[in-house]
PDB file of all heavy atoms in Angstrom:
ATOM      1  N   VAL P   1       0.859  -1.190  -0.009  1.00 93.00           N
ATOM      2  CA  VAL P   1       0.011  -0.010   0.003  1.00 93.00           C
ATOM      3  C   VAL P   1       0.886   1.227  -0.012  1.00 93.00           C
ATOM      4  O   VAL P   1       1.738   1.405   0.894  1.00 93.00           O
ATOM      5  CB  VAL P   1      -0.943   0.014   1.232  1.00 93.00           C
ATOM      6  CG1 VAL P   1      -1.809   1.264   1.204  1.00 93.00           C
ATOM      7  CG2 VAL P   1      -1.804  -1.235   1.266  1.00 93.00           C
ATOM      8  N   GLU P   2       0.736   2.079  -0.996  1.00 93.00           N
ATOM      9  CA  GLU P   2       1.533   3.312  -1.123  1.00 93.00           C
ATOM     10  C   GLU P   2       0.596   4.522  -1.135  1.00 93.00           C
ATOM     11  O   GLU P   2      -0.143   4.719  -2.104  1.00 93.00           O
ATOM     12  CB  GLU P   2       2.401   3.269  -2.364  1.00 93.00           C
ATOM     13  CG  GLU P   2       3.447   2.152  -2.388  1.00 93.00           C
ATOM     14  CD  GLU P   2       4.321   2.181  -3.625  1.00 93.00           C
ATOM     15  OE1 GLU P   2       4.223   3.192  -4.373  1.00 93.00           O
ATOM     16  OE2 GLU P   2       5.088   1.232  -3.823  1.00 93.00           O
ATOM     17  N   VAL P   3       0.643   5.269  -0.062  1.00 92.00           N
ATOM     18  CA  VAL P   3      -0.213   6.454   0.062  1.00 92.00           C
ATOM     19  C   VAL P   3       0.658   7.617   0.498  1.00 92.00           C
ATOM     20  O   VAL P   3       1.427   7.512   1.467  1.00 92.00           O
ATOM     21  CB  VAL P   3      -1.326   6.241   1.117  1.00 92.00           C
ATOM     22  CG1 VAL P   3      -2.200   7.484   1.231  1.00 92.00           C
ATOM     23  CG2 VAL P   3      -2.185   5.025   0.736  1.00 92.00           C
ATOM     24  N   PRO P   4       0.613   8.758  -0.214  1.00 91.00           N
ATOM     25  CA  PRO P   4       1.411   9.909   0.194  1.00 91.00           C
ATOM     26  C   PRO P   4       1.015  10.401   1.585  1.00 91.00           C
ATOM     27  O   PRO P   4      -0.149  10.314   1.951  1.00 91.00           O
ATOM     28  CB  PRO P   4       1.111  10.957  -0.893  1.00 91.00           C
ATOM     29  CG  PRO P   4      -0.151  10.506  -1.516  1.00 91.00           C
ATOM     30  CD  PRO P   4      -0.186   9.027  -1.417  1.00 91.00           C
ATOM     31  N   PRO P   5       1.957  10.917   2.360  1.00 87.00           N
ATOM     32  CA  PRO P   5       1.675  11.276   3.753  1.00 87.00           C
ATOM     33  C   PRO P   5       0.651  12.396   3.902  1.00 87.00           C
ATOM     34  O   PRO P   5      -0.012  12.483   4.945  1.00 87.00           O
ATOM     35  CB  PRO P   5       3.036  11.705   4.289  1.00 87.00           C
ATOM     36  CG  PRO P   5       3.873  12.036   3.062  1.00 87.00           C
ATOM     37  CD  PRO P   5       3.361  11.124   1.987  1.00 87.00           C
ATOM     38  N   ARG P   6       0.514  13.239   2.938  1.00 85.00           N
ATOM     39  CA  ARG P   6      -0.423  14.380   3.065  1.00 85.00           C
ATOM     40  C   ARG P   6      -1.614  14.267   2.144  1.00 85.00           C
ATOM     41  O   ARG P   6      -2.171  15.265   1.691  1.00 85.00           O
ATOM     42  CB  ARG P   6       0.338  15.702   2.766  1.00 85.00           C
ATOM     43  CG  ARG P   6       1.458  15.990   3.760  1.00 85.00           C
ATOM     44  CD  ARG P   6       2.091  17.326   3.496  1.00 85.00           C
ATOM     45  NE  ARG P   6       3.165  17.623   4.459  1.00 85.00           N
ATOM     46  CZ  ARG P   6       3.883  18.715   4.463  1.00 85.00           C
ATOM     47  NH1 ARG P   6       3.682  19.655   3.535  1.00 85.00           N
ATOM     48  NH2 ARG P   6       4.855  18.886   5.364  1.00 85.00           N
ATOM     49  N   LEU P   7      -2.049  13.068   1.930  1.00 89.00           N
ATOM     50  CA  LEU P   7      -3.241  12.861   1.087  1.00 89.00           C
ATOM     51  C   LEU P   7      -4.473  13.468   1.800  1.00 89.00           C
ATOM     52  O   LEU P   7      -4.707  13.200   2.988  1.00 89.00           O
ATOM     53  CB  LEU P   7      -3.482  11.348   0.886  1.00 89.00           C
ATOM     54  CG  LEU P   7      -4.553  10.988  -0.156  1.00 89.00           C
ATOM     55  CD1 LEU P   7      -4.077  11.339  -1.546  1.00 89.00           C
ATOM     56  CD2 LEU P   7      -4.869   9.503  -0.065  1.00 89.00           C
ATOM     57  N   PRO P   8      -5.244  14.300   1.106  1.00 88.00           N
ATOM     58  CA  PRO P   8      -6.413  14.939   1.749  1.00 88.00           C
ATOM     59  C   PRO P   8      -7.437  13.894   2.196  1.00 88.00           C
ATOM     60  O   PRO P   8      -7.532  12.790   1.643  1.00 88.00           O
ATOM     61  CB  PRO P   8      -6.980  15.803   0.628  1.00 88.00           C
ATOM     62  CG  PRO P   8      -5.878  15.972  -0.361  1.00 88.00           C
ATOM     63  CD  PRO P   8      -5.062  14.718  -0.288  1.00 88.00           C
ATOM     64  N   ALA P   9      -8.198  14.243   3.221  1.00 87.00           N
ATOM     65  CA  ALA P   9      -9.308  13.400   3.676  1.00 87.00           C
ATOM     66  C   ALA P   9     -10.365  13.340   2.579  1.00 87.00           C
ATOM     67  O   ALA P   9     -10.553  14.288   1.837  1.00 87.00           O
ATOM     68  CB  ALA P   9      -9.891  13.926   4.973  1.00 87.00           C
ATOM     69  N   VAL P  10     -11.047  12.192   2.516  1.00 89.00           N
ATOM     70  CA  VAL P  10     -12.070  11.978   1.498  1.00 89.00           C
ATOM     71  C   VAL P  10     -13.411  11.725   2.195  1.00 89.00           C
ATOM     72  O   VAL P  10     -13.472  10.997   3.179  1.00 89.00           O
ATOM     73  CB  VAL P  10     -11.716  10.790   0.591  1.00 89.00           C
ATOM     74  CG1 VAL P  10     -12.761  10.602  -0.499  1.00 89.00           C
ATOM     75  CG2 VAL P  10     -10.329  10.971  -0.013  1.00 89.00           C
ATOM     76  N   HIS P  11     -14.482  12.320   1.672  1.00 88.00           N
ATOM     77  CA  HIS P  11     -15.820  12.036   2.186  1.00 88.00           C
ATOM     78  C   HIS P  11     -16.241  10.632   1.704  1.00 88.00           C
ATOM     79  O   HIS P  11     -16.380  10.419   0.489  1.00 88.00           O
ATOM     80  CB  HIS P  11     -16.836  13.084   1.692  1.00 88.00           C
ATOM     81  CG  HIS P  11     -16.846  14.319   2.538  1.00 88.00           C
ATOM     82  ND1 HIS P  11     -15.987  15.362   2.323  1.00 88.00           N
ATOM     83  CD2 HIS P  11     -17.636  14.671   3.605  1.00 88.00           C
ATOM     84  CE1 HIS P  11     -16.217  16.311   3.205  1.00 88.00           C
ATOM     85  NE2 HIS P  11     -17.194  15.928   3.998  1.00 88.00           N
ATOM     86  N   LEU P  12     -16.423   9.723   2.638  1.00 89.00           N
ATOM     87  CA  LEU P  12     -16.797   8.372   2.271  1.00 89.00           C
ATOM     88  C   LEU P  12     -17.608   7.710   3.362  1.00 89.00           C
ATOM     89  O   LEU P  12     -17.530   8.107   4.522  1.00 89.00           O
ATOM     90  CB  LEU P  12     -15.562   7.535   1.908  1.00 89.00           C
ATOM     91  CG  LEU P  12     -14.454   7.422   2.958  1.00 89.00           C
ATOM     92  CD1 LEU P  12     -14.721   6.286   3.921  1.00 89.00           C
ATOM     93  CD2 LEU P  12     -13.104   7.190   2.277  1.00 89.00           C
ATOM     94  N   ASP P  13     -18.381   6.721   2.950  1.00 86.00           N
ATOM     95  CA  ASP P  13     -19.136   5.916   3.900  1.00 86.00           C
ATOM     96  C   ASP P  13     -18.180   4.840   4.448  1.00 86.00           C
ATOM     97  O   ASP P  13     -17.618   4.046   3.687  1.00 86.00           O
ATOM     98  CB  ASP P  13     -20.320   5.278   3.199  1.00 86.00           C
ATOM     99  CG  ASP P  13     -21.254   4.532   4.161  1.00 86.00           C
ATOM    100  OD1 ASP P  13     -20.781   3.534   4.741  1.00 86.00           O
ATOM    101  OD2 ASP P  13     -22.407   4.944   4.304  1.00 86.00           O
ATOM    102  N   ALA P  14     -18.020   4.820   5.765  1.00 85.00           N
ATOM    103  CA  ALA P  14     -17.014   3.964   6.398  1.00 85.00           C
ATOM    104  C   ALA P  14     -17.344   2.471   6.294  1.00 85.00           C
ATOM    105  O   ALA P  14     -16.497   1.643   6.624  1.00 85.00           O
ATOM    106  CB  ALA P  14     -16.847   4.365   7.864  1.00 85.00           C
ATOM    107  N   ILE P  15     -18.539   2.132   5.858  1.00 83.00           N
ATOM    108  CA  ILE P  15     -18.906   0.739   5.673  1.00 83.00           C
ATOM    109  C   ILE P  15     -18.952   0.373   4.188  1.00 83.00           C
ATOM    110  O   ILE P  15     -18.401  -0.623   3.770  1.00 83.00           O
ATOM    111  CB  ILE P  15     -20.286   0.420   6.335  1.00 83.00           C
ATOM    112  CG1 ILE P  15     -20.171   0.603   7.851  1.00 83.00           C
ATOM    113  CG2 ILE P  15     -20.737  -0.997   5.997  1.00 83.00           C
ATOM    114  CD1 ILE P  15     -21.481   0.418   8.570  1.00 83.00           C
ATOM    115  N   LEU P  16     -19.566   1.230   3.384  1.00 86.00           N
ATOM    116  CA  LEU P  16     -19.765   0.884   1.981  1.00 86.00           C
ATOM    117  C   LEU P  16     -18.474   0.932   1.169  1.00 86.00           C
ATOM    118  O   LEU P  16     -18.202   0.006   0.414  1.00 86.00           O
ATOM    119  CB  LEU P  16     -20.799   1.845   1.349  1.00 86.00           C
ATOM    120  CG  LEU P  16     -22.249   1.652   1.811  1.00 86.00           C
ATOM    121  CD1 LEU P  16     -23.139   2.739   1.201  1.00 86.00           C
ATOM    122  CD2 LEU P  16     -22.751   0.279   1.408  1.00 86.00           C
ATOM    123  N   LEU P  17     -17.680   2.015   1.290  1.00 90.00           N
ATOM    124  CA  LEU P  17     -16.506   2.107   0.454  1.00 90.00           C
ATOM    125  C   LEU P  17     -15.492   0.981   0.779  1.00 90.00           C
ATOM    126  O   LEU P  17     -14.946   0.374  -0.151  1.00 90.00           O
ATOM    127  CB  LEU P  17     -15.828   3.456   0.577  1.00 90.00           C
ATOM    128  CG  LEU P  17     -14.707   3.658  -0.482  1.00 90.00           C
ATOM    129  CD1 LEU P  17     -15.280   3.708  -1.895  1.00 90.00           C
ATOM    130  CD2 LEU P  17     -13.855   4.850  -0.203  1.00 90.00           C
ATOM    131  N   PRO P  18     -15.214   0.679   2.047  1.00 89.00           N
ATOM    132  CA  PRO P  18     -14.331  -0.466   2.279  1.00 89.00           C
ATOM    133  C   PRO P  18     -14.844  -1.763   1.626  1.00 89.00           C
ATOM    134  O   PRO P  18     -14.040  -2.568   1.174  1.00 89.00           O
ATOM    135  CB  PRO P  18     -14.319  -0.583   3.823  1.00 89.00           C
ATOM    136  CG  PRO P  18     -14.587   0.807   4.289  1.00 89.00           C
ATOM    137  CD  PRO P  18     -15.560   1.367   3.286  1.00 89.00           C
ATOM    138  N   HIS P  19     -16.155  -1.932   1.608  1.00 87.00           N
ATOM    139  CA  HIS P  19     -16.705  -3.121   0.963  1.00 87.00           C
ATOM    140  C   HIS P  19     -16.393  -3.157  -0.520  1.00 87.00           C
ATOM    141  O   HIS P  19     -16.061  -4.192  -1.092  1.00 87.00           O
ATOM    142  CB  HIS P  19     -18.204  -3.194   1.194  1.00 87.00           C
ATOM    143  CG  HIS P  19     -18.840  -4.444   0.731  1.00 87.00           C
ATOM    144  ND1 HIS P  19     -18.370  -5.701   1.062  1.00 87.00           N
ATOM    145  CD2 HIS P  19     -19.881  -4.694  -0.100  1.00 87.00           C
ATOM    146  CE1 HIS P  19     -19.084  -6.644   0.501  1.00 87.00           C
ATOM    147  NE2 HIS P  19     -20.028  -6.041  -0.215  1.00 87.00           N
ATOM    148  N   ALA P  20     -16.452  -1.976  -1.177  1.00 91.00           N
ATOM    149  CA  ALA P  20     -16.092  -1.898  -2.588  1.00 91.00           C
ATOM    150  C   ALA P  20     -14.632  -2.262  -2.785  1.00 91.00           C
ATOM    151  O   ALA P  20     -14.282  -3.000  -3.711  1.00 91.00           O
ATOM    152  CB  ALA P  20     -16.388  -0.503  -3.122  1.00 91.00           C
ATOM    153  N   LEU P  21     -13.773  -1.737  -1.932  1.00 93.00           N
ATOM    154  CA  LEU P  21     -12.340  -2.034  -2.037  1.00 93.00           C
ATOM    155  C   LEU P  21     -12.056  -3.506  -1.801  1.00 93.00           C
ATOM    156  O   LEU P  21     -11.222  -4.110  -2.491  1.00 93.00           O
ATOM    157  CB  LEU P  21     -11.556  -1.189  -1.030  1.00 93.00           C
ATOM    158  CG  LEU P  21     -11.492   0.310  -1.318  1.00 93.00           C
ATOM    159  CD1 LEU P  21     -10.944   1.055  -0.106  1.00 93.00           C
ATOM    160  CD2 LEU P  21     -10.680   0.593  -2.536  1.00 93.00           C
ATOM    161  N   ILE P  22     -12.752  -4.095  -0.861  1.00 91.00           N
ATOM    162  CA  ILE P  22     -12.587  -5.526  -0.588  1.00 91.00           C
ATOM    163  C   ILE P  22     -12.965  -6.354  -1.813  1.00 91.00           C
ATOM    164  O   ILE P  22     -12.287  -7.301  -2.191  1.00 91.00           O
ATOM    165  CB  ILE P  22     -13.435  -5.940   0.636  1.00 91.00           C
ATOM    166  CG1 ILE P  22     -12.787  -5.402   1.918  1.00 91.00           C
ATOM    167  CG2 ILE P  22     -13.587  -7.457   0.728  1.00 91.00           C
ATOM    168  CD1 ILE P  22     -13.676  -5.489   3.127  1.00 91.00           C
ATOM    169  N   ASN P  23     -14.051  -5.966  -2.508  1.00 90.00           N
ATOM    170  CA  ASN P  23     -14.453  -6.676  -3.706  1.00 90.00           C
ATOM    171  C   ASN P  23     -13.401  -6.560  -4.806  1.00 90.00           C
ATOM    172  O   ASN P  23     -13.094  -7.545  -5.509  1.00 90.00           O
ATOM    173  CB  ASN P  23     -15.787  -6.134  -4.230  1.00 90.00           C
ATOM    174  CG  ASN P  23     -16.980  -6.625  -3.399  1.00 90.00           C
ATOM    175  OD1 ASN P  23     -16.819  -7.397  -2.463  1.00 90.00           O
ATOM    176  ND2 ASN P  23     -18.141  -6.151  -3.739  1.00 90.00           N
ATOM    177  N   VAL P  24     -12.811  -5.388  -4.952  1.00 93.00           N
ATOM    178  CA  VAL P  24     -11.779  -5.181  -5.964  1.00 93.00           C
ATOM    179  C   VAL P  24     -10.547  -6.017  -5.639  1.00 93.00           C
ATOM    180  O   VAL P  24      -9.947  -6.669  -6.512  1.00 93.00           O
ATOM    181  CB  VAL P  24     -11.424  -3.675  -6.107  1.00 93.00           C
ATOM    182  CG1 VAL P  24     -10.251  -3.487  -7.043  1.00 93.00           C
ATOM    183  CG2 VAL P  24     -12.633  -2.902  -6.640  1.00 93.00           C
ATOM    184  N   LEU P  25     -10.132  -5.974  -4.398  1.00 93.00           N
ATOM    185  CA  LEU P  25      -8.939  -6.749  -3.949  1.00 93.00           C
ATOM    186  C   LEU P  25      -9.182  -8.247  -4.105  1.00 93.00           C
ATOM    187  O   LEU P  25      -8.312  -8.978  -4.534  1.00 93.00           O
ATOM    188  CB  LEU P  25      -8.613  -6.406  -2.492  1.00 93.00           C
ATOM    189  CG  LEU P  25      -7.863  -5.106  -2.242  1.00 93.00           C
ATOM    190  CD1 LEU P  25      -7.843  -4.806  -0.741  1.00 93.00           C
ATOM    191  CD2 LEU P  25      -6.465  -5.187  -2.790  1.00 93.00           C
ATOM    192  N   ASP P  26     -10.363  -8.701  -3.739  1.00 89.00           N
ATOM    193  CA  ASP P  26     -10.686 -10.113  -3.850  1.00 89.00           C
ATOM    194  C   ASP P  26     -10.623 -10.543  -5.309  1.00 89.00           C
ATOM    195  O   ASP P  26     -10.121 -11.616  -5.637  1.00 89.00           O
ATOM    196  CB  ASP P  26     -12.090 -10.359  -3.267  1.00 89.00           C
ATOM    197  CG  ASP P  26     -12.481 -11.829  -3.343  1.00 89.00           C
ATOM    198  OD1 ASP P  26     -11.806 -12.671  -2.725  1.00 89.00           O
ATOM    199  OD2 ASP P  26     -13.481 -12.163  -4.007  1.00 89.00           O
ATOM    200  N   ASN P  27     -11.107  -9.677  -6.204  1.00 88.00           N
ATOM    201  CA  ASN P  27     -11.056  -9.991  -7.625  1.00 88.00           C
ATOM    202  C   ASN P  27      -9.624 -10.066  -8.125  1.00 88.00           C
ATOM    203  O   ASN P  27      -9.258 -10.942  -8.927  1.00 88.00           O
ATOM    204  CB  ASN P  27     -11.846  -8.933  -8.396  1.00 88.00           C
ATOM    205  CG  ASN P  27     -12.214  -9.365  -9.791  1.00 88.00           C
ATOM    206  OD1 ASN P  27     -13.100 -10.157 -10.007  1.00 88.00           O
ATOM    207  ND2 ASN P  27     -11.502  -8.827 -10.785  1.00 88.00           N
ATOM    208  N   ALA P  28      -8.781  -9.133  -7.658  1.00 90.00           N
ATOM    209  CA  ALA P  28      -7.361  -9.131  -8.073  1.00 90.00           C
ATOM    210  C   ALA P  28      -6.664 -10.419  -7.617  1.00 90.00           C
ATOM    211  O   ALA P  28      -5.886 -11.016  -8.376  1.00 90.00           O
ATOM    212  CB  ALA P  28      -6.643  -7.924  -7.467  1.00 90.00           C
ATOM    213  N   ALA P  29      -6.961 -10.860  -6.402  1.00 89.00           N
ATOM    214  CA  ALA P  29      -6.363 -12.104  -5.913  1.00 89.00           C
ATOM    215  C   ALA P  29      -6.873 -13.298  -6.686  1.00 89.00           C
ATOM    216  O   ALA P  29      -6.113 -14.253  -6.963  1.00 89.00           O
ATOM    217  CB  ALA P  29      -6.659 -12.268  -4.416  1.00 89.00           C
ATOM    218  N   LYS P  30      -8.153 -13.275  -7.017  1.00 85.00           N
ATOM    219  CA  LYS P  30      -8.764 -14.402  -7.716  1.00 85.00           C
ATOM    220  C   LYS P  30      -8.199 -14.615  -9.131  1.00 85.00           C
ATOM    221  O   LYS P  30      -8.066 -15.738  -9.607  1.00 85.00           O
ATOM    222  CB  LYS P  30     -10.287 -14.164  -7.779  1.00 85.00           C
ATOM    223  CG  LYS P  30     -11.095 -15.328  -8.269  1.00 85.00           C
ATOM    224  CD  LYS P  30     -12.592 -14.965  -8.267  1.00 85.00           C
ATOM    225  CE  LYS P  30     -13.086 -14.648  -6.871  1.00 85.00           C
ATOM    226  NZ  LYS P  30     -14.507 -14.301  -6.867  1.00 85.00           N
ATOM    227  N   TYR P  31      -7.824 -13.510  -9.775  1.00 84.00           N
ATOM    228  CA  TYR P  31      -7.392 -13.580 -11.173  1.00 84.00           C
ATOM    229  C   TYR P  31      -5.865 -13.440 -11.307  1.00 84.00           C
ATOM    230  O   TYR P  31      -5.387 -13.103 -12.412  1.00 84.00           O
ATOM    231  CB  TYR P  31      -8.082 -12.522 -12.009  1.00 84.00           C
ATOM    232  CG  TYR P  31      -9.514 -12.883 -12.368  1.00 84.00           C
ATOM    233  CD1 TYR P  31     -10.556 -12.507 -11.552  1.00 84.00           C
ATOM    234  CD2 TYR P  31      -9.772 -13.621 -13.507  1.00 84.00           C
ATOM    235  CE1 TYR P  31     -11.866 -12.881 -11.867  1.00 84.00           C
ATOM    236  CE2 TYR P  31     -11.055 -13.979 -13.846  1.00 84.00           C
ATOM    237  CZ  TYR P  31     -12.109 -13.599 -13.015  1.00 84.00           C
ATOM    238  OH  TYR P  31     -13.410 -13.973 -13.321  1.00 84.00           O
ATOM    239  N   SER P  32      -5.116 -13.662 -10.236  1.00 87.00           N
ATOM    240  CA  SER P  32      -3.646 -13.639 -10.362  1.00 87.00           C
ATOM    241  C   SER P  32      -3.041 -14.831  -9.638  1.00 87.00           C
ATOM    242  O   SER P  32      -3.627 -15.318  -8.642  1.00 87.00           O
ATOM    243  CB  SER P  32      -3.098 -12.314  -9.815  1.00 87.00           C
ATOM    244  OG  SER P  32      -3.512 -12.107  -8.462  1.00 87.00           O
ATOM    245  N   PRO P  33      -1.923 -15.331 -10.098  1.00 88.00           N
ATOM    246  CA  PRO P  33      -1.320 -16.524  -9.507  1.00 88.00           C
ATOM    247  C   PRO P  33      -0.947 -16.331  -8.058  1.00 88.00           C
ATOM    248  O   PRO P  33      -0.609 -15.212  -7.637  1.00 88.00           O
ATOM    249  CB  PRO P  33      -0.055 -16.747 -10.354  1.00 88.00           C
ATOM    250  CG  PRO P  33      -0.320 -16.001 -11.628  1.00 88.00           C
ATOM    251  CD  PRO P  33      -1.167 -14.830 -11.255  1.00 88.00           C
ATOM    252  N   PRO P  34      -1.014 -17.385  -7.225  1.00 86.00           N
ATOM    253  CA  PRO P  34      -0.613 -17.283  -5.837  1.00 86.00           C
ATOM    254  C   PRO P  34       0.813 -16.778  -5.707  1.00 86.00           C
ATOM    255  O   PRO P  34       1.701 -17.123  -6.512  1.00 86.00           O
ATOM    256  CB  PRO P  34      -0.716 -18.737  -5.329  1.00 86.00           C
ATOM    257  CG  PRO P  34      -1.685 -19.395  -6.239  1.00 86.00           C
ATOM    258  CD  PRO P  34      -1.476 -18.747  -7.578  1.00 86.00           C
ATOM    259  N   GLY P  35       1.046 -15.935  -4.732  1.00 88.00           N
ATOM    260  CA  GLY P  35       2.396 -15.420  -4.495  1.00 88.00           C
ATOM    261  C   GLY P  35       2.735 -14.182  -5.267  1.00 88.00           C
ATOM    262  O   GLY P  35       3.728 -13.490  -4.931  1.00 88.00           O
ATOM    263  N   THR P  36       1.966 -13.837  -6.301  1.00 91.00           N
ATOM    264  CA  THR P  36       2.261 -12.608  -7.056  1.00 91.00           C
ATOM    265  C   THR P  36       1.708 -11.407  -6.277  1.00 91.00           C
ATOM    266  O   THR P  36       0.678 -11.503  -5.614  1.00 91.00           O
ATOM    267  CB  THR P  36       1.646 -12.648  -8.450  1.00 91.00           C
ATOM    268  OG1 THR P  36       0.223 -12.869  -8.351  1.00 91.00           O
ATOM    269  CG2 THR P  36       2.259 -13.763  -9.273  1.00 91.00           C
ATOM    270  N   PRO P  37       2.402 -10.262  -6.353  1.00 92.00           N
ATOM    271  CA  PRO P  37       1.997  -9.130  -5.521  1.00 92.00           C
ATOM    272  C   PRO P  37       0.781  -8.380  -6.045  1.00 92.00           C
ATOM    273  O   PRO P  37       0.462  -8.427  -7.237  1.00 92.00           O
ATOM    274  CB  PRO P  37       3.235  -8.232  -5.563  1.00 92.00           C
ATOM    275  CG  PRO P  37       3.869  -8.543  -6.891  1.00 92.00           C
ATOM    276  CD  PRO P  37       3.635 -10.020  -7.102  1.00 92.00           C
ATOM    277  N   ILE P  38       0.124  -7.706  -5.141  1.00 94.00           N
ATOM    278  CA  ILE P  38      -0.921  -6.751  -5.463  1.00 94.00           C
ATOM    279  C   ILE P  38      -0.477  -5.405  -4.926  1.00 94.00           C
ATOM    280  O   ILE P  38      -0.035  -5.295  -3.782  1.00 94.00           O
ATOM    281  CB  ILE P  38      -2.277  -7.176  -4.840  1.00 94.00           C
ATOM    282  CG1 ILE P  38      -2.776  -8.469  -5.479  1.00 94.00           C
ATOM    283  CG2 ILE P  38      -3.312  -6.047  -5.034  1.00 94.00           C
ATOM    284  CD1 ILE P  38      -4.043  -9.000  -4.827  1.00 94.00           C
ATOM    285  N   GLU P  39      -0.564  -4.405  -5.763  1.00 95.00           N
ATOM    286  CA  GLU P  39      -0.083  -3.062  -5.381  1.00 95.00           C
ATOM    287  C   GLU P  39      -1.249  -2.102  -5.311  1.00 95.00           C
ATOM    288  O   GLU P  39      -2.024  -1.975  -6.280  1.00 95.00           O
ATOM    289  CB  GLU P  39       0.972  -2.606  -6.392  1.00 95.00           C
ATOM    290  CG  GLU P  39       2.209  -3.478  -6.424  1.00 95.00           C
ATOM    291  CD  GLU P  39       2.928  -3.429  -7.754  1.00 95.00           C
ATOM    292  OE1 GLU P  39       2.450  -2.720  -8.648  1.00 95.00           O
ATOM    293  OE2 GLU P  39       3.962  -4.116  -7.885  1.00 95.00           O
ATOM    294  N   ILE P  40      -1.383  -1.407  -4.190  1.00 95.00           N
ATOM    295  CA  ILE P  40      -2.465  -0.454  -3.974  1.00 95.00           C
ATOM    296  C   ILE P  40      -1.864   0.917  -3.823  1.00 95.00           C
ATOM    297  O   ILE P  40      -0.977   1.132  -2.984  1.00 95.00           O
ATOM    298  CB  ILE P  40      -3.287  -0.809  -2.731  1.00 95.00           C
ATOM    299  CG1 ILE P  40      -3.770  -2.275  -2.806  1.00 95.00           C
ATOM    300  CG2 ILE P  40      -4.472   0.123  -2.558  1.00 95.00           C
ATOM    301  CD1 ILE P  40      -4.306  -2.794  -1.503  1.00 95.00           C
ATOM    302  N   THR P  41      -2.314   1.865  -4.624  1.00 96.00           N
ATOM    303  CA  THR P  41      -1.825   3.228  -4.566  1.00 96.00           C
ATOM    304  C   THR P  41      -2.972   4.194  -4.421  1.00 96.00           C
ATOM    305  O   THR P  41      -4.133   3.889  -4.745  1.00 96.00           O
ATOM    306  CB  THR P  41      -1.022   3.572  -5.822  1.00 96.00           C
ATOM    307  OG1 THR P  41      -1.873   3.406  -6.986  1.00 96.00           O
ATOM    308  CG2 THR P  41       0.202   2.666  -5.984  1.00 96.00           C
TER     309      THR P  41
END
């Protein structure tokens, strides 16, 4: 996970948006070989 230290705060729903990110991450893991990295920026 690479996030700049001064990234502005974002208006988001603390339950819904994490769920969207979890779905995207789960999809990335599902469609890539075990052991290969996932990079989040």
Side-chain angles (χ1 to χ4, degrees):
V1 180
E2 296 182 9
V3 180
R6 296 184 180 180
L7 190 69
V10 182
H11 277 85
L12 56 86
D13 186 294
I15 295 176
L16 290 176
L17 189 68
H19 187 51
L21 290 169
I22 287 168
N23 284 358
V24 173
L25 281 170
D26 181 61
N27 197 75
K30 190 179 296 180
Y31 282 91
S32 56
T36 57
I38 294 175
E39 298 155 359
I40 305 168
T41 58

